[in-house]
Amino acid sequence: MAKKRPQTKAGKQQLKDGEIPVVGAREPCPCGSGRRYKACHGRAAAQAVTELVHRPFEGLAGECDWVALRELVPAATVELTLKDGLPEGVPSVTLATVLPMAWPALRRDDGSVLLALQNDTPSGDLSRDLADTLQRALVADPGSPVAARRAPAEGPRLQDLLDPGATFEPVVHSGFEFWVPDAENATPEVSASLERANQAAIPTSRLSGVDAAYWCETPEKNHLRWVMPHPEEQLLDALARLHAAGTSSLGEGTRLVGSFRAHGLMVPVWDLPSAMGAAECEKPAAELAERLTAALASDAPLTAEERRARGGLTNRQVTLS
């Protein structure tokens, strides 16, 4: 039997839990316990990395739009407002769906910050990873991107950094020209990345009459994808009531085809005719929102037909995250 490792005391003053830096898994833990990091404070860090936060944007203004920009929208930006205001030398902070070369963030030459939303993140808490990237971007040298890294387990989340009372107003773009102020003078790498991104972008528009509903155009048919904040079971019941009554569509030639889950919220999807653009969706979407509100308020048991409709909707659900 192997001998048990003796517990030794560090000669220097021990650090508090909140001050423990991240080191290599097999290195001595900086707290001074004498154990390896992975067997000491690294345990909590590893658990924080793997534990999935199902609603990472909960509590933020515009949670539904955060989900849409993360999962649905190719090119969009939002001006962000920090709780403590902008640091000196940072004229603005802008959330972007994606940045060139998949950079997590970019500090522009003028000091402004772009924060990318659609990048892969190393932990199960998307909000904490984005907050860590944002904090590093705020102090990065102007004109430099911010590299990805594992965020400290005890680090702040977006909810700690952003002003909860500020408006969240996405601006949807037809392409990614917002990446560079002067596209003609961009580096060859950025220009090539910009061209590839523009070619892959699906035309998308945000409806103005309802919250977090996004129209998109595809070669065969158009779609409306609508991120909704209601509890899933309640929303499924309400949609089933409308579906059984024949009132779940957005008009002739349209159809509620299912839904998917993304970051703890449900996103119903409608198929639309190719001739139906975003402007033509505005009135029917507003009318559907009124019918849905009434259906959500009902607490009557589902009828047999409504239960069948609910089962069909449930069977056509897909979980994205």
Side-chain angles (χ1 to χ4, degrees):
M1 179 180 293
K3 294 183 178 179
K4 185 176 180 180
R5 179 187 295 270
Q7 302 298 307
T8 59
K9 294 185 179 179
K12 60 181 180 180
Q13 182 179 1
Q14 294 189 356
L15 301 172
K16 298 179 181 179
D17 286 353
E19 300 172 341
I20 303 300
V22 176
V23 299
R26 300 178 66 84
E27 295 180 31
C29 187
C31 75
S33 67
R35 291 178 291 174
R36 290 178 178 176
Y37 178 71
K38 69 176 182 179
C40 191
H41 280 83
R43 287 181 175 176
Q47 182 178 2
V49 167
T50 57
E51 186 175 355
L52 178 64
V53 176
H54 292 282
R55 287 183 64 179
F57 307 120
E58 185 176 15
L60 293 174
E63 179 188 6
C64 294
D65 282 306
W66 277 91
V67 172
L69 267 56
R70 168 73 181 183
E71 300 295 340
L72 308 179
V73 183
T77 55
V78 185
E79 295 298 316
L80 298 180
T81 303
L82 306 185
K83 277 184 178 179
D84 299 327
L86 293 170
E88 184 178 356
V90 180
S92 64
V93 175
T94 303
L95 180 72
T97 47
V98 67
L99 292 177
M101 276 77 79
W103 290 330
L106 171 65
R107 182 96 185 269
R108 282 176 164 166
D109 291 334
D110 66 354
S112 60
V113 167
L114 290 176
L115 175 68
L117 182 57
Q118 293 184 7
N119 291 58
D120 291 335
T121 55
S123 84
D125 188 350
L126 179 57
S127 177
R128 194 180 307 282
D129 291 332
L130 287 168
D132 177 70
T133 301
L134 174 57
Q135 285 189 311
R136 291 186 291 125
L138 292 172
V139 297
D141 293 332
S144 61
V146 175
R149 76 167 189 181
R150 186 179 69 184
E154 301 83 8
R157 308 178 72 239
L158 287 174
Q159 289 81 348
D160 302 315
L161 302 182
L162 301 183
D163 182 354
T167 59
F168 190 84
E169 293 292 340
V171 177
V172 178
H173 304 277
S174 59
F176 295 88
E177 282 72 20
F178 65 86
W179 281 353
V180 287
D182 185 6
E184 294 182 356
N185 294 323
T187 65
E189 293 82 2
V190 171
S191 296
S193 183
L194 176 61
E195 183 178 358
R196 289 193 301 270
N198 282 341
Q199 290 175 348
I202 296 174
T204 302
S205 296
R206 181 176 184 258
L207 300 194
S208 60
V210 294
D211 292 333
Y214 289 81
W215 170 93
C216 68
E217 179 184 7
T218 63
E220 295 182 357
K221 63 184 68 175
N222 300 338
H223 305 281
L224 184 70
R225 300 177 289 188
W226 194 340
V227 187
M228 297 187 173
H230 316 291
E232 181 176 322
E233 296 302 314
Q234 182 185 6
L235 180 55
L236 280 170
D237 283 352
L239 290 173
R241 296 181 196 278
L242 298 182
H243 203 64
T247 59
S248 64
S249 75
L250 295 168
E252 184 177 356
T254 71
R255 184 168 66 100
L256 174 62
V257 293
S259 64
F260 55 85
R261 302 182 189 91
H263 305 291
L265 298 182
M266 186 172 159
V267 188
V269 179
W270 285 263
D271 277 353
L272 312 173
S274 296
M276 190 172 185
E280 289 75 30
C281 288
E282 292 283 1
K283 182 178 179 180
E287 294 171 345
L288 177 62
E290 293 182 0
R291 298 195 297 272
L292 182 62
T293 298
L296 286 165
S298 175
D299 57 1
L302 296 181
T303 66
E305 187 176 1
E306 290 168 348
R307 288 196 299 272
R308 285 193 294 271
R310 192 186 195 281
L313 291 171
T314 303
N315 290 336
R316 296 194 298 274
Q317 276 188 311
V318 176
T319 300
L320 295 184
S321 57

